[in-house]
Amino acid sequence: MLSVRVARDQGLGPLVLLFLVGGCVVSGIESSDYSEAEVLPDSFPSAPAEPLPEFLLEPEDAFIVKNRPVQLRCRASPATQIYFKCNGEWVNQNDHVTRESLDQITGLVVREVDISVSRTQVEELFGLEDYWCQCVAWSSAGTTKSNRAYVRIAYLRKNFEQEPLGREVRLEQEVLLQCRPPEGMPAAEVDWLKNEDVIDPSQDSNFLITIDHDLIIKQARLSDTANYTCVARNVVAKRRSSTATLIVFVSGGWSSWTEWSECNAQCGRGWQRRTRSCTNPAPLNGGAFCEGPPFQRVTCTTLCPVDGGWTEWAKWSACGTECTHWRSRECQAPPPRNGGKHCSGSMMESKNCTEGLCARSYGVEVQHLLEKNSMGVAVYAGLVGALLLCVILVLCVGVLAYRRRCRHLHGDITDSSSALTAAFHPGNYKPPRQDNPHPLHPSAPPDLTATAGAFRTPLFSLQHGVNDSPHKIPMTTSPLLDPLPSLKIKVYNSSTLSSLELPADMGSGNGEILSLKSVGTIGREREYHSHTLSREPGLSTSATLGNLGGRLTIPNTGVSLLVPPGTIPQGKFYEMYLIINKWDKTTLPSEGSQTVLSPVVSCGPSGMLLNRPVVLTLPHCAQLDTPTPDWTLTLKSQTHQGAWEEVLTVGEETLSSPCYLQLEEECCHVLMEQLGTYGLVGQSCPPQPACKRLQLALFAPRAPCLSLDYSLRIYCIHDTPHAFKEVLDLERSLGGVLLEDPKPLLFKDSYHNLRLSIHDIPHTHWRSKLLAKYQEIPFYHIWSGSQRPLHCTFSLERGSLAVSQLTCKICVRQVEGEGQIFQLHTDIQEVMMKAKVSLFMPKNKTKKKNKVLGPYAFRLPDSIRQKICASLDAPSARGCDWRLLARSLGFDRYLNYFATKPSPTGVLLDLWEACHQGDADLVSLATALEEMGKSEVLVVMTTDGEC
């Protein structure tokens, strides 16, 4: 029995004839290229309960290396037929190698087919699309198609697009060796060789290979002097670049000077010499030799030694009782000087003056001896008498001092120092006097509570009576209690307990809690300090953020913190905060000619683990629109100990820099991975002086109805939203009113003060109380930027209460610099009404969101972001990758920061989000992508997002 079924797969293949002969199926394909017997079926008779074919093995992409064909294989079950289709056409049945088996578990038929694709077949394909093949399997339930497998001809060009260049660098310098591999299919993988050894950055952290295949040596070492080669390889071939020789040299440095040598002349003028060597360090690998002389020589003068000489002998003395006379001489002709020799010989000479004829009687000698002894006894007696008199005087003075001290110690008033050191033991007190009108009860503990006034018990009375000793020390003047004027001391009649308590009115209003406790004696006091970070309304915000990220914004200040998606680890949540520190809490120090340019902002919690950088936005007041750079800008951070340290200097970043700073005209955006307290400072970059943008704000108070006095206050503040908001809040608390819109002023680093003066006052109705012609704010107070909001007050007096109109002119200018003029025409009664109305008006008419959580915080949807990253993260041989996007967006000042991140494009998009949080417009990003030729990304943005 023969039956024929005809079926045509709509759009999938030719006409399929099914011949059923005795239960056997014979198929054929209607095609001009194939014989009539070669017919492929498009469908089969349905078999009950047989599922659609499922591919157990799908064809995979392959590369033809040289002329070797590639094999494509697929396997499906259950499948009655399985064939390949390449580029929309069926492959000849004879080119298939089919194998059939039975699945032992399911009992279904498993068919596997192989085809071979040659280089010629791929090269004969015309068109833009690559050569592809697809596997089609049939069963009684229908057909199933596999994924497309692309077959490409593998190749690797011979010439590198950019080869590394040899260079000489100094020790510890950052080195960049660039390499662009040859164009190839598939894209070549790149390795770096150092003296033919493969460099592994995981083994040596001093090396870094970027996604652009560049080799970065963070700090050049002497051991890094070597030959470096860039090696590119794929399945076809392996290419080596030319060798780049890197020489790390060390410039010589002088050692310390030796001590000066001895003067080479022993007498008179000579020379002294000292030397140094070029060994600290010694020059290596062609490094420069030390500049300057290796020795120094100075003149010296050595005094010549002068030997001493005897003077002439003096005349002989008179003949003595011993029948001798003597004469002397001195070593003074000349005296010995400068180490000269002393005179040799004796200074005195004696001889018999009677030429041996002297004869003395025994009686004369005895009388002379007695006279001599009597004189000695008298001298000794006088000395003993004087000594006894001194001892008596000392004893008298000691007795008087002791009696006086005893009388003082037994008095009825105890000073504060003795009371404190004795711990108020009851044995230290003397019983009260009989004339005391308030005797101390022996059973009740005395209450010795002392405040800033006098003690209220008679034991420690501060009123000097008639019998009071003039040496009594009042408790309020005791040096031990001066630091604690509000201290209360309660003393109990016990030797084991005493306590010190703070008064009830001493709270924690200042943000610092001080607690004093004493156990046993007051000498064992302990202090506890508790400091809390002030979060005042309008100067702080906080939110609980997770893996989806968000944005924290302090309204009307220009300060914000962007936390991109994925920054916080999955499953974790943090209470994050953003705080603007007040002037009296945290002051950013400015050293030398530095000036503070931004508010000091704290973001936290500090120490939390971040998977990617966050973006902190700070407003600044630096004038940056000059054609030449006038500023050297530095980002500073505060340590946990309260000290300030430099994080980075703009334009001097290295791979070790923990942050990246993107500058705009009025604000800066800081990419950081460590939360903390940050601020921006700057100083002039010679030769041009830098300028700060300031604002001048004129305020007037409410005019008192019964007072003739009136004042005008002019504030000189930074041109930032936060500074102006702070002054507005201050004046609102004082009832002040802003008379005119703030005026800008460029303040130059010229060491000239800011001068303020008032003119054209109608003297018939008003009088100025200012004695001088003008007022000045010192230059340093403005330039340092660390002072509180600076202002000057012009005090005026009107002629009568009926006068309300005020017309005058206020000039504000920097000496030998720019200035502004306020033309004031006001009615002080209207000002008073405005001030009253402003007291009852809300501070912010429109409430801005200070925190946006999750996807709503970002203009760019996550799906678009991922597709842009996938398209631009991989390096392109033509440079059409994330680097070109950075240049188009203006983020290319230091590309190495982004190159070290896992997804450079993602970090660039985070920075773009922070820079465009105000306009929230995708036009700039779409324009950049259009200039790069990324049309497929633009299609995605048009489909999934809103341009």
Side-chain angles (χ1 to χ4, degrees):
M1 177 179 179
L2 174 65
S3 64
V4 180
R5 291 191 180 186
V6 180
R8 181 178 299 274
D9 188 2
Q10 298 297 329
L12 295 178
L15 180 65
V16 179
L17 299 178
L18 302 179
F19 298 90
L20 279 72
V21 183
C24 298
V25 180
V26 180
S27 61
I29 301 178
E30 179 183 296
S31 175
S32 59
D33 297 333
Y34 306 129
S35 64
E36 294 181 358
E38 298 173 348
V39 179
L40 292 176
D42 279 342
S43 64
F44 291 90
S46 60
E50 185 177 21
L52 283 171
E54 180 180 355
F55 282 96
L56 305 178
L57 176 65
E58 297 191 55
E60 298 178 351
D61 296 344
F63 294 94
I64 296 178
V65 180
K66 297 183 180 179
N67 293 321
R68 293 192 295 271
V70 298
Q71 300 292 326
L72 298 181
R73 175 177 299 174
C74 67
R75 184 187 307 122
S77 174
T80 55
Q81 294 292 336
I82 184 169
Y83 293 98
F84 270 99
K85 179 188 286 186
C86 294
N87 295 314
E89 297 182 0
W90 295 98
V91 178
N92 194 313
Q93 187 175 5
N94 297 331
D95 295 336
H96 290 75
V97 178
T98 307
R99 290 175 294 278
E100 182 177 344
S101 61
L102 189 66
D103 193 332
Q104 299 297 330
I105 300 177
T106 61
L108 299 177
V109 177
V110 179
R111 288 185 181 272
E112 182 177 309
V113 63
D114 295 348
I115 64 170
S116 178
V117 181
S118 66
R119 184 187 184 100
T120 304
Q121 291 176 270
V122 177
E123 290 179 343
E124 288 177 353
L125 177 66
F126 292 97
L128 299 177
E129 193 173 15
D130 293 333
Y131 190 92
W132 60 270
C133 291
Q134 189 179 35
C135 198
V136 183
W138 285 267
S139 71
S140 60
T143 62
T144 305
K145 297 179 182 180
S146 69
N147 293 329
R148 292 183 178 183
Y150 290 91
V151 180
R152 302 178 179 90
I153 299 175
Y155 67 93
L156 184 63
R157 306 288 186 199
K158 292 184 178 181
N159 297 326
F160 280 74
E161 295 184 4
Q162 184 175 4
E163 294 186 300
L165 301 177
R167 53 188 302 190
E168 296 181 356
V169 298
R170 68 177 180 274
L171 188 66
E172 297 183 353
Q173 180 181 344
E174 181 180 316
V175 183
L176 173 64
L177 297 178
Q178 294 181 319
C179 175
R180 297 292 178 270
E183 182 183 354
M185 180 64 67
E189 298 180 359
V190 174
D191 290 326
W192 280 89
L193 303 181
K194 175 184 176 182
N195 291 336
E196 302 304 322
D197 294 330
V198 178
I199 296 176
D200 186 2
S202 62
Q203 300 296 327
D204 190 346
S205 60
N206 197 41
F207 291 104
L208 176 66
I209 299 178
T210 67
I211 60 175
D212 298 332
H213 311 303
D214 295 335
L215 177 64
I216 297 178
I217 304 176
K218 299 178 183 178
Q219 287 185 333
R221 302 162 298 191
L222 290 177
S223 60
D224 294 330
T225 300
N227 294 324
Y228 291 86
T229 308
C230 182
V231 179
R233 69 176 186 280
N234 62 3
V235 296
V236 179
K238 181 178 180 181
R239 311 291 188 204
R240 291 171 58 97
S241 69
S242 59
T243 300
T245 301
L246 178 67
I247 298 177
V248 182
F249 64 86
V250 178
S251 297
W254 289 113
S255 65
S256 300
W257 287 102
T258 61
E259 296 293 335
W260 288 104
S261 64
E262 297 288 340
C263 192
N264 62 348
Q266 297 182 354
C267 179
R269 184 182 178 87
W271 299 95
Q272 278 182 297
R273 177 188 177 95
R274 67 175 182 176
T275 60
R276 59 180 178 176
S277 59
C278 189
T279 57
N280 188 31
L284 293 175
N285 298 335
F289 196 79
C290 302
E291 296 182 0
F295 64 90
Q296 286 182 343
R297 190 173 68 169
V298 296
T299 60
C300 60
T301 302
T302 304
L303 299 176
C304 298
V306 178
D307 297 336
W310 291 113
T311 59
E312 296 292 335
W313 287 104
K315 294 182 179 181
W316 288 102
S317 64
C319 191
T321 57
E322 296 180 355
C323 302
T324 58
H325 60 172
W326 54 272
R327 62 177 182 176
S328 64
R329 58 179 179 177
E330 296 179 354
C331 190
Q332 295 293 331
R337 293 192 305 270
N338 307 326
K341 296 179 181 180
H342 199 274
C343 303
S344 60
S346 59
M347 295 179 59
M348 300 187 65
E349 183 182 23
S350 63
K351 68 176 181 178
N352 193 296
C353 57
T354 61
E355 297 180 359
L357 301 179
C358 182
R360 295 177 295 176
S361 65
Y362 177 78
V364 174
E365 291 180 0
V366 172
Q367 183 181 2
H368 178 71
L369 181 60
L370 291 175
E371 291 176 357
K372 189 174 184 180
N373 289 337
S374 62
M375 291 179 62
V377 171
V379 171
Y380 286 124
L383 291 176
V384 171
L387 182 59
L388 290 176
L389 182 60
C390 292
V391 170
I392 293 172
L393 291 176
V394 170
L395 290 176
C396 293
V397 172
V399 170
L400 291 176
Y402 176 77
R403 294 183 61 186
R404 184 173 183 178
R405 182 180 179 186
C406 291
R407 183 172 63 254
H408 177 67
L409 290 177
H410 289 285
D412 58 350
I413 294 181
T414 304
D415 61 37
S416 59
S417 59
S418 62
L420 288 175
T421 54
F424 300 103
H425 291 297
N428 292 338
Y429 303 125
K430 182 182 176 181
R433 295 178 299 182
Q434 298 298 327
D435 57 351
N436 190 346
H438 303 283
L440 185 64
H441 196 278
S443 62
D447 187 5
L448 305 179
T449 303
T451 61
F455 285 86
R456 290 187 290 273
T457 58
L459 182 61
F460 289 103
S461 176
L462 292 180
Q463 305 297 330
H464 290 274
V466 178
N467 299 324
D468 290 341
S469 172
H471 302 284
K472 296 176 183 177
I473 303 175
M475 197 69 168
T476 54
T477 59
S478 172
L480 293 177
L481 294 184
D482 282 345
L484 301 174
S486 299
L487 189 66
K488 289 185 177 180
I489 303 176
K490 292 186 177 180
V491 184
Y492 298 95
N493 192 11
S494 172
S495 60
T496 59
L497 177 65
S498 60
S499 66
L500 278 78
E501 298 179 357
L502 288 173
D505 59 347
M506 188 173 180
S508 58
N510 295 330
E512 180 177 338
I513 302 174
L514 174 63
S515 167
L516 296 179
K517 294 182 179 180
S518 174
V519 178
T521 61
I522 298 180
R524 293 195 294 266
E525 294 178 359
R526 294 181 297 175
E527 298 184 359
Y528 299 89
H529 298 271
S530 173
H531 298 276
T532 59
L533 195 60
S534 61
R535 301 190 182 184
E536 299 189 9
L539 295 179
S540 64
T541 182
S542 62
T544 302
L545 300 182
N547 183 257
L548 296 179
R551 187 195 304 269
L552 299 180
T553 302
I554 303 179
N556 303 322
T557 62
V559 177
S560 65
L561 178 67
L562 180 71
V563 183
T567 301
I568 300 176
Q570 186 72 32
K572 291 186 179 295
F573 295 87
Y574 292 100
E575 178 72 19
M576 302 190 68
Y577 59 83
L578 185 65
I579 301 174
I580 299 177
N581 295 278
K582 297 194 69 175
W583 294 97
D584 53 352
K585 300 296 182 184
T586 302
T587 301
L588 179 59
S590 54
E591 303 172 357
S593 60
Q594 286 185 345
T595 177
V596 178
L597 299 173
S598 75
V600 178
V601 176
S602 297
C603 53
S606 60
M608 64 179 290
L609 178 64
L610 302 179
N611 291 338
R612 60 190 301 169
V614 298
V615 188
L616 176 64
T617 299
L618 299 174
H620 67 78
C621 61
Q623 180 70 10
L624 300 177
D625 60 353
T626 55
T628 58
D630 299 335
W631 285 99
T632 298
L633 301 177
T634 303
L635 183 69
K636 288 191 174 184
S637 173
Q638 191 176 30
T639 62
H640 295 289
Q641 292 75 22
W644 287 91
E645 59 182 15
E646 293 186 3
V647 179
L648 65 85
T649 299
V650 177
E652 300 179 5
E653 295 90 342
T654 62
L655 285 176
S656 60
S657 299
C659 302
Y660 175 85
L661 193 144
Q662 178 67 24
L663 274 175
E664 294 186 350
E665 288 189 4
E666 297 183 354
C667 64
C668 64
H669 309 279
V670 185
L671 283 163
M672 64 177 68
E673 299 183 31
Q674 182 66 41
L675 302 180
T677 302
Y678 293 89
L680 184 68
V681 301
Q683 62 182 6
S684 293
C685 183
Q688 296 294 329
C691 291
K692 288 177 64 173
R693 292 181 289 106
L694 303 180
Q695 277 187 323
L696 304 174
L698 178 60
F699 288 87
R702 289 178 294 173
C705 298
L706 301 178
S707 176
L708 300 178
D709 294 334
Y710 194 69
S711 61
L712 300 173
R713 291 188 293 271
I714 301 180
Y715 287 85
C716 177
I717 57 177
H718 288 171
D719 189 6
T720 59
H722 160 255
F724 185 59
K725 178 179 181 299
E726 185 178 12
V727 172
L728 281 179
D729 293 342
L730 175 62
E731 282 293 327
R732 182 181 288 110
S733 64
L734 299 176
V737 177
L738 182 66
L739 297 183
E740 292 189 16
D741 292 336
K743 295 181 180 292
L745 177 68
L746 291 181
F747 193 76
K748 187 179 297 184
D749 184 11
S750 61
Y751 299 97
H752 291 294
N753 299 339
L754 187 68
R755 182 171 295 178
L756 302 92
S757 57
I758 187 168
H759 307 274
D760 301 340
I761 301 176
H763 296 288
T764 56
H765 303 290
W766 292 87
R767 182 181 67 88
S768 174
K769 294 184 178 181
L770 183 65
L771 300 179
K773 293 182 179 180
Y774 54 82
Q775 301 182 65
E776 284 191 349
I777 301 179
F779 166 83
Y780 180 74
H781 289 180
I782 300 176
W783 187 255
S784 67
S786 58
Q787 304 286 333
R788 291 185 60 85
L790 302 172
H791 75 278
C792 280
T793 301
F794 289 98
S795 299
L796 306 176
E797 183 181 5
R798 50 182 174 169
S800 65
L801 296 177
V803 177
S804 62
Q805 298 293 328
L806 174 60
T807 302
C808 64
K809 181 168 61 176
I810 299 178
C811 298
V812 184
R813 69 180 183 91
Q814 186 181 13
V815 179
E816 299 184 7
E818 298 187 8
Q820 288 286 0
I821 297 178
F822 289 92
Q823 296 284 352
L824 188 60
H825 303 277
T826 184
D827 189 330
I828 63 175
Q829 298 299 333
E830 295 180 359
V831 171
M832 181 178 65
M833 294 304 297
K834 290 180 181 178
K836 290 182 178 179
V837 172
S838 65
L839 291 176
F840 300 97
M841 291 181 62
K843 295 183 179 180
N844 293 319
K845 294 183 180 179
T846 60
K847 181 67 174 180
K848 295 184 178 180
K849 293 184 178 180
N850 59 355
K851 52 188 174 185
V852 185
L853 309 182
Y856 299 101
F858 309 99
R859 185 67 181 92
L860 199 63
D862 188 60
S863 59
I864 299 179
R865 171 190 292 265
Q866 293 181 1
K867 292 177 181 179
I868 295 177
C869 293
S871 177
L872 299 181
D873 273 346
S876 172
R878 295 175 298 173
C880 188
D881 50 20
W882 65 269
R883 294 168 297 176
L884 185 56
L885 176 64
R887 295 187 184 97
S888 301
L889 297 178
F891 302 158
D892 58 338
R893 183 171 51 80
Y894 187 67
L895 291 178
N896 284 343
Y897 177 83
F898 302 97
T900 58
K901 305 305 175 186
S903 176
T905 309
V907 180
L908 289 172
L909 294 179
D910 295 340
L911 184 57
W912 177 86
E913 288 271 7
C915 294
H916 293 82
Q917 60 176 319
D919 49 29
D921 192 1
L922 294 178
V923 174
S924 61
L925 182 60
T927 303
L929 293 174
E930 184 179 5
E931 293 175 353
M932 295 172 60
K934 292 292 181 179
S935 57
E936 69 278 6
V937 181
L938 285 176
V939 173
V940 173
M941 293 180 63
T942 306
T943 305
D944 299 346
E946 297 179 4
C947 289

